[in-house]
């Protein structure tokens, strides 16, 4: 299956554009448990342009009531991105801070059993530290926020490698976020 390169700059531009507002093409899940992974998925989609319309286990958004759990759920997003199977949509690996780039994602576990927040990295210092790695996010709306300013129990890092092209079936219609 052909691999589409990840346009990190498009994802980061989208993050800056919508960090403190909401794109009307997508539902705002703030009052339904949070909007962070919905925002992360929008950013990732802006950088790949590929969804996976597999029921239940895919990664897609058609409307507020027709979306995959991986589009808005922190754990499901992680499971989809790090899946072993080759299927349409973005993919990546869990890695360490020094292997991240702008456009990658961080997930936090706060004072709960499960990971609960997914910001996108918008800038990194050299060498990268939690102080000079900056993120944008929804739910805790932020842009250019240092990772070190979060109080967390655990952190994990997701490096996006690209996206598998949507073959052999055509891409279903869905909103394409402006970049």
């Amino acid at each position: 299956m052909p691999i589409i390169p990840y346009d990190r700059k498009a994802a980061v531009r989208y993050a800056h554009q919508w960090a403190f507002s909401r794109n009307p093409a997508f539902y705002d899940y703030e009052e339904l448990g949070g909007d962070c992974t919905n925002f992360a998925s929008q950013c990732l989609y802006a950088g790949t342009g590929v969804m996976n319309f597999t029921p239940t286990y895919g990664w897609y958004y058609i409307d507020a009531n027709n979306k995959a759990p991986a589009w808005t759920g922190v754990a499901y997003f992680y499971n989809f991105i790090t899946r072993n199977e080759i299927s349409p949509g973005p993919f990546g690996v869990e890695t360490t801070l020094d292997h991240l780039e702008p456009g990658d994602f961080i997930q936090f576990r706060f004072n709960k059993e499960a990971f609960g927040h997914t910001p996108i990295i918008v800038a990194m210092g050299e060498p990268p530290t939690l102080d000079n790695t900056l993120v944008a996010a929804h739910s805790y709306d932020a842009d250019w926020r240092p990772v070190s300013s979060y109080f967390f129990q655990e952190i994990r890092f997701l490096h996006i490698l690209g996206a598998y092209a949507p073959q052999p079936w055509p891409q279903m219609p869905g909103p394409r976020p402006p970049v």
Side-chain angles (χ1 to χ4, degrees):
M1 186 171 285
I3 295 176
I4 298 168
Y6 179 37
D7 186 344
R8 296 175 176 282
K9 290 181 180 178
V12 170
R13 276 194 311 272
Y14 185 92
H16 290 311
Q17 179 179 358
W18 295 103
F20 294 108
S21 61
R22 302 298 188 261
N23 182 338
F26 296 91
Y27 187 78
D28 179 3
Y29 295 93
E30 192 69 39
E31 301 300 321
L32 298 173
D35 199 56
C36 68
T37 306
N38 177 41
F39 177 65
S41 288
Q42 292 173 41
C43 296
L44 185 54
Y45 183 59
T48 63
V50 178
M51 293 185 189
N52 178 318
F53 292 95
T54 304
T56 308
Y57 299 107
W59 180 79
Y60 64 90
Y61 177 95
I62 296 171
D63 61 40
N65 298 311
N66 193 358
K67 59 167 182 56
W71 190 270
T72 55
V74 175
Y76 300 110
F77 180 89
Y78 174 87
N79 290 340
F80 181 80
I81 296 302
T82 61
R83 70 195 181 283
N84 290 324
E85 70 181 43
I86 295 175
S87 64
F91 65 96
V93 294
E94 186 173 350
T95 190
T96 57
L97 181 64
D98 56 326
H99 288 99
L100 296 174
E101 301 174 57
D104 286 333
F105 298 88
I106 293 175
Q107 292 191 321
F108 294 108
R109 185 172 66 81
F110 298 120
N111 57 356
K112 298 179 182 174
E113 304 250 340
F115 281 83
H117 192 47
T118 309
I120 182 173
I121 298 170
V122 296
M124 299 187 74
E126 188 59 45
T129 66
L130 296 183
D131 290 325
N132 66 22
T133 300
L134 308 177
V135 297
H138 277 185
S139 293
Y140 306 95
D141 287 6
D143 197 8
W144 304 104
R145 181 175 176 177
V147 172
S148 62
S149 70
Y150 287 91
F151 296 98
F152 57 89
Q153 290 182 328
E154 191 176 352
I155 189 171
R156 64 185 175 199
F157 308 106
L158 291 171
H159 176 64
I160 304 302
L161 298 171
Y164 295 114
Q167 296 175 345
W169 54 87
Q171 183 78 346
M172 286 179 58
R176 177 73 193 252
V179 289

